[in-house]
Amino acid sequence: MPLSPFQGDEDFPSKADVVVIGGGIIGINTALTLAERGVSVVVVEKGVIAGEQSARNWGWTRQMGRDAAELPLTMASLRLWSQMNERIGAETGWRRTGITYLCYNRQDMDIWGGWYEKGKAYGLDSQMLTGQQVNALLPGSSGGLIGGLHTPSDGRAEPTIAAVAMADAARRAGARILTQCAARGVERSAGKISAVVTERGRIACSSVVLAGGVWSRLFAGNMGLDFPQLKVMGTVARVTGVEGISDMPVAASDFSYRKRLDGDYTIALRNANIANIVPDSFRLFAEYMPSFVQTWRELKLRVGKDFIKEMSVPRSWSLDQRTPFETVRTLDPVPAQSFNRKALAKLARAYPAFAKAKIVNEWAGMMDVTPDAVPVISEVASVPGFHIASGFSGHGFGIGPGAGQLMADIVMGTTPLVDPKPFHISRLRPNFAKAG
């Protein structure tokens, strides 16, 4: 999976107002917003910018289908995406193409019809379409469609270039960005954050934002914070040789596609992800059981070498020790190739233009999932100066610009982009919200 190159800063800063841990799209947008506002900020990334899920996702920037708790933030984020190329003076691949969910049966129509009513209450421009209207919007179907949910204001962007372009802009705005530089932990003075210790040295600061994706639970755990988060793996492929298909991202219950900036298509088997059984699966079982009951059809549980591997990962360390973040610079899981072949077969039946498509690249990424599949974007009152922006549950790319701005608002104490209450850590960990 080719990724736009980014060269981290060589000089190591000794201090900053804010240190952001993690160079994915959330951390980079937090840093971009802070730097544009004149705040001294350093990003520390253990590997490369956007090396994990931020460049491995579908590239959708959608509002429809979101949890009601996320909807105001996703709508704000779409506004920011629409301005991003001009804002940073670079290409992110963002285009307002609209997005459509296809319905082949009455159950799908009922599900998306119910969501349409929720979206309408927020002023979203979604539309429920008939089968005839979908066919007019998306020609080339082999038939069987009875309707669809369409949102004209939704769009797409290019994961392999977007966050890197934003990182370049953040640096031009004054942010310092360190790659191949893992954060080992934090120091506190009188209970408050006073520094981040990295493998390259210490950075004095008064605020920290943990935007570490699937690594956030491990980092927080070394601080004595039990942040609830599990990993779920998604598999994606790039196919070539497709012509005459809409530029619009499209999904049915069991396939999805998105046209890429290079003219090929990114495809996936929708509602098919892998949850590896690991020690944390048992530690957090009770918290995740309600959501698992609702979504078990979308998950393939797998027991394998990951259980033993995670058993051997240290869960605590001193700040002068080598950490797990230095052992694994980039999490690069093996894709489930059978998923991609099933997706392509289903696509070819639904849209014959995919019948001659060839898979030219495939990859997988790990999503950081909370018990309620809603992210945490919050201060942690029990550790003054510490903040978490993690648990985006596969939604981080689409809501990245809004989430980063909201996190910056919280750090600075300014008027928030949207009401931050739905994302507060207290809903999952009430004790984190109590002053330590």
Side-chain angles (χ1 to χ4, degrees), residues 164-189:
V164 173
M166 295 167 183
D168 281 328
R171 182 153 59 187
R172 290 194 300 271
R176 306 293 299 279
I177 301 180
L178 308 178
T179 57
Q180 303 294 321
C181 181
R184 291 179 169 177
V186 302
E187 290 182 351
R188 309 179 213 188
S189 178

Side-chain angles (χ1 to χ4, degrees), residues 214 229-233 274-276 310 331 366-367 369:
V214 294
Q229 184 184 69
L230 290 176
K231 306 181 189 75
V232 172
M233 189 184 89
I274 293 174
N276 290 311
E310 293 211 9
L331 201 57
M366 289 292 191
M367 295 171 276
V369 179

Side-chain angles (χ1 to χ4, degrees), residues 60 82 97 101 139 198 201 209 241 258 280 292-293 302 337 346 366 371 378 395 433:
W60 292 34
S82 71
T97 56
Y101 283 158
T198 78
V209 175
R258 170 186 67 86
D280 273 344
F292 175 71
V293 169
R302 187 170 69 180
Q337 294 181 335
K346 290 174 182 294
M366 289 292 191
S378 174
H395 309 163

